[in-house]
Amino acid sequence: MKAHAEVIVEKRGGAGVIRLNRPQAINSLTLPMVRALLRALQRFEEDPDISCVVLTGEGERGLCAGGDVRIIHDLGKAGDPQVLEFWREEFPLNYRIAHFSKPYVALMDGIVMGGGVGISAHGSHRIVTERTKLAMPETGIGYFPDVGGSWLLPKAPGECGTWLGLTGNVIGAADALYAGFADYLVPSHRLDDLVQDLSQATDRDNIEATIGAYVAQAGESILQANQNTIDATFGFDTIEEIVAALSARQDAFSRETLDVLQKRSPTSLKLTLRLLRLGRESMSLIECLEREFAAGTEILRQHDFYEGVRAALIDKDRNPRWRPARLEEVREVDLEPYLAGHSGNLFPDHRL
């Protein structure tokens, strides 16, 4: 174990503990971190003394703020062919987590966004706290929910996943549980004790009983309270129809949602909706990851991602100038290059 490493891997009794250790960047993922996570999972899966894996993040701010999109931005701008390597290895990591043979316990404390959702919400035992702030905020930077987001989001009740994917809004523990991104709420001050007890658990039943002893009530879900409104306004297959439905309503939730959508990249909104609808009909996580990889490849050839990252992370003026700037200027045919990539790029040994 290296204390300065960006991923710290250690055995604690029967638990394999993986600690993301880049707190100054809210543990944002880099390619070396993705590779370290893959190596750790391989090691723990093969170790007969390990009963479960626990993922946690160092620092007070959160588990993981996502992939380090500033690095991707810079590589893409420079035309560096290595720019796709991050997704090429991150997406198989998401799949590995979803199909890990031992209990995978993700401690989703604090900020859990984008790629942070990918390394937690695909796990078997997903724990949120009263401090959890979860989001798939990609439409705000000219991108789309990836890391299997088009597989996870359509599985939320009704159109909640569509609302989450298009708005990119932050949700708390109760909504994460309701939307199916988490399984349990444990108070943040009890997480260390939980990990200690998990290190003594010997099988899946023990692990679930151990977690159950720490579970607390989550309170009211905003998504659940607004389910009827969300279903009535987000059940369409075009962004124009969704906007029209929201515009026709006078309630505060609809007005606030409409205001958010009007700030997002028009191209990202239309692409995200297409991916979510395709994901709803997909038979496997691999199918969604392959489609997302193809879409991400095309994103790097276009304007909005670079402009979105500039506005959010570089100049921080929060005033992106999208191209096209209006929904009606984004035609359905314009989306085809994002969806035309060859399948099998990431998982050549699997048939889609």
Side-chain angles (χ1 to χ4, degrees):
M1 180 181 72
K2 297 179 180 179
H4 64 275
E6 291 185 339
V7 176
I8 299 173
V9 181
E10 56 189 339
K11 290 177 65 171
R12 296 188 198 172
V17 179
I18 303 173
R19 295 154 52 199
L20 304 182
N21 187 36
R22 202 173 171 229
Q24 73 281 6
I26 321 178
N27 300 313
S28 294
L29 296 173
T30 63
L31 182 56
M33 292 172 73
V34 167
R35 290 172 174 168
L37 285 165
L38 282 165
R39 288 194 300 270
L41 292 182
Q42 181 73 27
R43 167 187 164 188
F44 290 140
E45 193 159 43
E46 295 173 352
D47 188 336
D49 296 329
I50 294 296
S51 299
C52 69
V53 167
V54 179
L55 176 74
T56 186
E58 294 295 285
E60 293 297 316
R61 300 172 69 188
L63 171 65
C64 176
D68 196 324
V69 295
R70 177 64 185 271
I71 294 175
I72 296 172
H73 168 282
D74 292 349
L75 289 173
K77 273 280 193 181
D80 192 317
Q82 294 298 307
V83 66
L84 290 173
E85 287 306 303
F86 177 73
W87 294 329
R88 197 182 299 278
E89 299 192 38
E90 181 192 26
F91 290 7
L93 170 64
N94 303 142
Y95 178 82
R96 182 70 181 273
I97 290 168
H99 293 84
F100 196 63
S101 63
K102 298 178 180 180
Y104 179 98
V105 184
L107 305 185
M108 303 166 70
D109 187 33
I111 291 172
V112 185
M113 296 184 182
V117 174
I119 58 171
S120 57
H122 290 294
S124 61
H125 297 73
R126 299 135 342 144
I127 296 171
V128 287
T129 76
E130 78 286 351
R131 296 164 13 107
T132 296
K133 294 180 179 180
L134 184 147
M136 298 293 283
E138 290 85 354
T139 59
I141 59 165
Y143 191 53
F144 61 88
D146 63 350
V147 296
S150 62
W151 174 254
L152 293 168
L153 288 164
K155 291 175 169 49
E159 296 295 337
C160 285
T162 311
W163 182 90
L164 284 166
L166 292 177
T167 66
N169 282 350
V170 175
I171 59 174
D175 285 326
L177 290 162
Y178 181 71
F181 280 79
D183 306 298
Y184 316 91
L185 183 142
V186 172
S188 57
H189 70 275
R190 304 197 70 192
L191 291 179
D192 288 344
D193 290 340
L194 171 59
V195 174
Q196 178 58 36
D197 284 353
L198 286 172
S199 72
Q200 306 303 314
T202 57
D203 57 36
R204 183 177 289 266
D205 290 340
N206 290 149
I207 287 160
E208 293 181 354
T210 298
I211 296 172
Y214 285 85
V215 168
Q217 295 300 309
E220 182 185 20
S221 162
I222 296 171
L223 291 178
Q224 185 174 17
N226 290 280
Q227 182 76 69
N228 290 338
T229 298
I230 291 171
D231 290 350
T233 53
F234 280 81
F236 302 97
D237 292 334
T238 70
I239 298 296
E240 287 87 349
E241 289 174 294
I242 291 172
V243 167
L246 289 167
S247 300
R249 301 177 68 95
Q250 300 302 316
D251 59 285
F253 183 85
S254 295
R255 290 198 305 270
E256 291 166 5
T257 298
L258 179 61
D259 183 61
V260 169
L261 291 182
Q262 290 172 337
K263 295 180 172 67
R264 303 309 188 218
S265 159
T267 301
S268 290
L269 289 176
K270 290 199 171 186
L271 176 60
T272 295
L273 185 59
R274 281 284 292 275
L275 290 170
L276 293 178
R277 294 299 185 252
L278 289 167
R280 180 175 288 172
E281 304 301 322
S282 296
M283 299 300 293
S284 70
L285 171 59
I286 282 182
E287 187 178 342
C288 291
L289 289 169
E290 290 279 14
R291 191 182 294 120
E292 291 167 10
F293 183 73
T297 301
E298 181 63 23
I299 281 277
L300 294 175
R301 301 188 181 106
Q302 304 298 333
H303 167 270
D304 276 9
F305 171 70
Y306 300 104
E307 174 63 10
V309 174
R310 179 206 64 76
L313 301 176
I314 299 174
D315 297 337
K316 300 182 180 180
D317 58 25
R318 305 289 174 181
N319 185 33
R321 296 171 179 84
W322 307 122
R323 289 206 313 251
R326 297 183 300 173
L327 284 170
E328 57 267 28
E329 295 174 333
V330 183
R331 303 167 300 166
E332 289 301 307
V333 68
D334 296 330
L335 301 181
E336 293 310 314
Y338 298 92
L339 305 170
H342 297 293
S343 63
N345 288 328
L346 298 178
F347 303 92
D349 296 331
H350 288 75
R351 295 187 64 184
L352 302 187

